[in-house]
Amino acid sequence: LFPGASGQYPLVQNLTVTEGGTANLTCRVAHNDNTSLQWSNPAQQTLFFGDKKALRDNRIELVHASWSELTISISDVALSDEGMYTCSLFTMPVRTAKAYLTVLGVPEKPQINGLTNPALEGDHITLTCITQGSKPAADLRWFRNEKEIKANISGAKEVNASGKTFTVQSSLQLHVDRTDDGVAYTCKVDHVALTQKPQQATEVLEVHYAPQVEIIHSLAVPQEGQYLKLECVSKGNPLPDPVIWTKDGGELPDLDRMIVEGRELTFTSLNKTDNGTYRCEASNLLGTSNAEYVLFVYADPNALGQHSTDHALIGGVVAVVVFVTLCLIIVLGRYLARHKGTYLTNEAKGADDAPDADTAIINAEGNHAHTEEKKEYFI
């Protein structure tokens, strides 16, 4: 060892920086006897010797220079700046330390190709997501309305012509149905250089499909006199409009009480004549669909109660009249029976002493008159 060389060893660290960022290269010496420090690039070009700049590059600046430390900065770092940097301590012999500068290539914003808008229900389509410029190679992930997709995905990674960055591609296979209408498919880039600014692309899929129809009714048990609304809920793309209402295969019979407004059929006051099968039909360019509702109007329970009361009252009156009539008939019968008995008795009394019928009647009348006299006497 030469005098003064003991303990004089430069210390450096490897560094990773994102493309376009700033790299600070620091070289330190624990014990230095006024020996100069120097930084050189991977091409062995001297950048700084002490505090003296040796290479004309506006991106390279001196940060700190002393006998124990030499720190320089490289701004707007490019992929070409990557490599082994050397810090030299000019002792006898010269002592060096090497730091590797890694530059991360930032992937470009991805692009999604292969989207056909609008797609038809039942179609098979392939969405392809591509991003370039990543180093190391980026990873691509697919999402359906923020939920990650794991199946039906294939991918490839290719090195670009520069030999430093990658082009990454990922494909998603879709069998389109109506549930895909309005769904957002997103391709996200995962990369170590994207810690704060994520890269992603989103496409919203439009799907055309035939209508699907459903009838919603406002009453569970429709009754006479009630208000009823039937709503024809039709889903389809393009939207089927207008809808057509029919009853029992024909036109609606009573448009005064059956009001059609848009998709709604309204009955202002139900009655038994409204019973039947109502159909709602909707169409678009891809097909026709219909739904049916069987209407049965039940009697109003309140009206039934009133009719029962009226019938009971009428029945009571009739029963009284019949009873009174029967009583009158019985009394009249008894009266007639009593008078007929008296006549026969008097005739019999007169016949006891009479030689013939005429004399018997006369005797009976005489006896009757005598009886009346006796009654007046005793009274």
Side-chain angles (χ1 to χ4, degrees):
L1 293 177
F2 292 92
S6 179
Q8 293 180 320
Y9 297 96
L11 301 175
V12 296
Q13 287 185 334
N14 294 332
L15 184 63
T16 299
V17 65
T18 300
E19 183 181 12
T22 299
N24 290 325
L25 299 173
T26 298
C27 180
R28 291 188 176 91
V29 178
H31 303 285
N32 193 357
D33 55 356
N34 299 332
T35 302
S36 296
L37 293 171
Q38 171 187 292
W39 271 112
S40 57
N41 63 16
Q44 295 303 311
Q45 295 173 315
T46 300
L47 303 179
F48 268 88
F49 184 80
D51 59 355
K52 299 297 190 285
K53 186 174 183 179
L55 185 66
R56 290 187 177 181
D57 189 335
N58 294 331
R59 299 178 305 127
I60 303 174
E61 300 290 342
L62 177 66
V63 177
H64 180 74
S66 67
W67 297 114
S68 60
E69 178 184 331
L70 177 61
T71 300
I72 65 172
S73 68
I74 306 174
S75 60
D76 194 18
V77 173
L79 293 174
S80 59
D81 293 323
E82 184 175 87
M84 193 73 74
Y85 287 76
T86 303
C87 175
S88 302
L89 177 63
F90 285 90
T91 59
M92 293 298 292
V94 176
R95 295 179 179 178
T96 61
K98 296 184 180 296
Y100 194 89
L101 175 62
T102 300
V103 180
L104 301 177
V106 180
E108 297 177 0
K109 180 179 176 63
Q111 294 182 345
I112 297 178
N113 301 320
L115 181 67
T116 302
N117 263 341
L120 299 181
E121 186 175 30
D123 284 354
H124 292 270
I125 64 175
T126 300
L127 301 182
T128 301
C129 179
I130 300 176
T131 181
Q132 298 179 342
S134 60
K135 178 183 172 295
D139 292 319
L140 298 178
R141 293 189 297 160
W142 285 98
F143 293 81
R144 185 182 191 272
N145 285 344
E146 302 302 325
K147 184 178 180 180
E148 187 170 1
I149 303 171
K150 298 289 187 180
N152 302 320
I153 297 175
S154 60
K157 299 179 180 180
E158 299 177 357
V159 179
N160 292 335
S162 65
K164 293 182 178 293
T165 60
F166 291 83
T167 295
V168 182
Q169 173 178 306
S170 178
S171 297
L172 173 63
Q173 307 289 333
L174 293 177
H175 182 204
V176 178
D177 63 28
R178 64 185 59 202
T179 62
D180 288 313
D181 186 38
V183 170
Y185 285 93
T186 300
C187 174
K188 291 185 178 181
V189 181
D190 281 347
H191 194 266
V192 65
L194 300 175
T195 56
Q196 296 181 348
K197 186 180 179 182
Q199 295 278 34
Q200 65 182 47
T202 300
E203 293 287 351
V204 178
L205 185 60
E206 180 183 359
V207 180
H208 282 190
Y209 54 94
Q212 186 175 12
V213 178
E214 177 186 7
I215 296 178
I216 299 177
H217 48 88
S218 61
L219 294 176
V221 182
Q223 299 174 359
E224 288 182 300
Q226 288 185 326
Y227 172 94
L228 173 65
K229 181 173 72 174
L230 302 180
E231 182 180 1
C232 182
V233 180
S234 58
K235 297 179 181 179
N237 193 7
L239 184 66
D241 194 31
V243 299
I244 299 175
W245 285 100
T246 58
K247 178 187 178 183
D248 297 330
E251 296 182 355
L252 298 178
D254 190 350
L255 295 180
D256 291 332
R257 292 185 308 103
M258 301 180 185
I259 302 172
V260 177
E261 293 181 348
R263 301 174 182 275
E264 296 179 354
L265 171 61
T266 302
F267 298 81
T268 56
S269 180
L270 289 172
N271 61 46
K272 291 288 186 177
T273 63
D274 296 326
N275 290 344
T277 300
Y278 292 83
R279 171 179 288 190
C280 167
E281 184 175 285
S283 302
N284 64 13
L285 297 176
L286 300 177
T288 300
S289 179
N290 62 74
E292 293 184 346
Y293 172 75
V294 178
L295 174 62
F296 182 83
V297 180
Y298 293 85
D300 185 354
N302 296 326
L304 287 176
Q306 182 64 39
H307 292 163
S308 299
T309 303
D310 294 343
H311 293 163
L313 180 61
I314 294 172
V317 172
V318 170
V320 170
V321 170
V322 171
F323 178 75
V324 171
T325 303
L326 290 175
C327 290
L328 290 175
I329 291 173
I330 292 171
V331 171
L332 181 61
R334 289 175 61 87
Y335 175 79
L336 293 176
R338 288 179 64 184
H339 280 71
K340 183 178 180 181
T342 303
Y343 168 78
L344 291 175
T345 301
N346 291 333
E347 184 181 6
K349 288 180 179 180
D352 290 341
D353 300 324
D356 53 36
D358 292 336
T359 304
I361 293 172
I362 294 172
N363 291 339
E365 290 177 356
N367 291 333
H368 180 67
H370 181 71
T371 302
E372 292 294 332
E373 292 175 359
K374 289 182 177 181
K375 285 181 181 180
E376 292 178 359
Y377 176 81
F378 280 107
I379 290 173

